[in-house]
Amino acid sequence: MQFIGKILGFILGYKLFGGFFGGLLGLIVGHWGDKKLYELGSVSSSLFGKALTRQSLFMQTTFAVLGHIAKAKGRVTENDIQLARNLMASMRLDDAHQQLAQQAFTLGKEADFPLRQVIKEFREACGQRNDLLRFFVEVQMQAALQDGHLEPSEQQILFTIAETIGMSRFQFEQMLAMVAAAQRFRSGYYQYGQHGSHQQRGSYQEKNYGGYQTHSNGPTLEDAYSVLGVTADDDQNTVKRAYRKLMNEHHPDKLVAKGLPPEMMEVAKEKAQQIQAAYDLINKTKGWK
């Protein structure tokens, strides 16, 4: 429980420094202590072992579920394997962590892979931190959508994951639409660079994401709304609030502090760039400043 330090800190501060403001000082110190205990604490998994760091559990759970989704189509293709390799490369895993990731991917392919149990233990290890859990689901959705088509078996696995961490069907469908739209920003002509946004037309083939359609001329304004989870009828303040909320949820440093492996910071940064690109496109089209 991540509030014991806060309670003890408030009580000690109240007694030692006399009064409410002393208690507030103790509360701040206690909050810092709770945070450090969370970051340094170990977690257990019935599948991956005991005394794991949260970062290690996040990484192994990610690759195990990737293997499970890949196997759901009937057989694991070379594209599925290459996707896992690309993720390992982008994370710059050393040899030891690559081996752990490969072992986890293999475990996920097993017919008796206990998906609900693995996700339930992962949720508990994350301390119910919704932004970290949502980011995990997004990573799995992105992987499933890489080939441009979402099989019913893949979608069912994704929903099982979302349901197990506490998402409703509506929240799941909304996130899936947001991730599919973000994929189009990743592969389409509208991209976000280090010095701001710019439009760059490139070759983009029409794809179907289990009902979510992309377009040959790149992402559309409708895609931009989907990325932010808003509609064309929403006003500027509503769109801005949605944008700020998503950027806060995908802040790499905050996610790492909550259990995201530092190696996955680039994934979080890329997601933030997609959110920024969508927001820039809406502002430019609407003439907002």
Side-chain angles (χ1 to χ4, degrees), residues 6 15-16 22 31 39 59 62 81 107 116 128 140 147 162 174 190 193 208-209 215 228 253 261 278-279 288:
K6 299 179 185 65
K15 289 184 176 181
L16 291 176
H31 171 71
E39 293 176 1
M59 185 267 292
T62 295
I81 296 173
L107 283 173
R116 285 189 181 275
Q128 308 286 350
Q140 301 302 329
D147 61 358
Q174 183 184 46
Y190 192 88
N208 184 281
Y209 291 105
H215 306 279
L228 301 186
D253 292 333
Y279 183 63
W288 294 340

Side-chain angles (χ1 to χ4, degrees), residues 3 37 43 46 123 169 193 198 243 259 265:
F3 54 83
L37 285 174
V43 294
S46 60
R123 181 194 65 193
R169 170 66 73 172
H198 62 280
Y243 158 74
M265 284 188 69

Side-chain angles (χ1 to χ4, degrees), residues 108-176:
K109 295 188 297 182
E110 298 295 329
D112 59 349
F113 178 69
L115 178 63
R116 285 189 181 275
Q117 180 180 336
V118 167
I119 299 302
K120 182 179 179 181
E121 292 174 352
F122 174 71
R123 181 194 65 193
E124 293 173 352
C126 289
Q128 308 286 350
R129 282 163 168 76
N130 289 331
D131 45 1
L132 185 62
L133 293 170
R134 286 175 61 87
F135 185 80
F136 174 82
V137 177
E138 288 178 4
V139 170
Q140 301 302 329
M141 287 180 173
Q142 289 171 4
L145 292 169
Q146 282 292 327
D147 61 358
H149 183 70
L150 190 64
E151 298 283 349
S153 56
E154 294 176 302
Q155 184 163 338
Q156 181 56 49
I157 290 174
L158 292 174
F159 178 66
T160 298
I161 296 169
E163 184 183 43
T164 304
I165 69 168
M167 292 176 61
S168 67
R169 170 66 73 172
F170 173 79
Q171 291 171 321
F172 169 75
E173 294 289 350
Q174 183 184 46
M175 177 181 283
L176 189 58

Side-chain angles (χ1 to χ4, degrees), residues 171-241:
Q171 291 171 321
F172 169 75
E173 294 289 350
Q174 183 184 46
M175 177 181 283
L176 189 58
M178 293 169 69
V179 172
Q183 292 284 81
R184 293 191 280 274
F185 274 88
R186 182 176 184 269
S187 302
Y189 70 86
Y190 192 88
Q191 299 182 7
Y192 178 75
Q194 287 184 326
H195 305 292
S197 60
H198 62 280
Q199 288 191 11
Q200 175 183 329
R201 188 170 299 279
S203 58
Y204 191 78
Q205 301 301 316
E206 187 175 87
K207 297 180 180 179
N208 184 281
Y209 291 105
Y212 302 107
Q213 195 76 19
T214 66
H215 306 279
S216 58
N217 63 342
T220 65
L221 183 60
E222 184 179 354
D223 292 331
Y225 288 124
S226 294
V227 171
L228 301 186
V230 298
T231 70
D233 295 328
D234 289 323
D235 60 22
Q236 185 176 7
N237 287 334
T238 300
V239 172
K240 183 180 291 187
R241 283 197 301 270

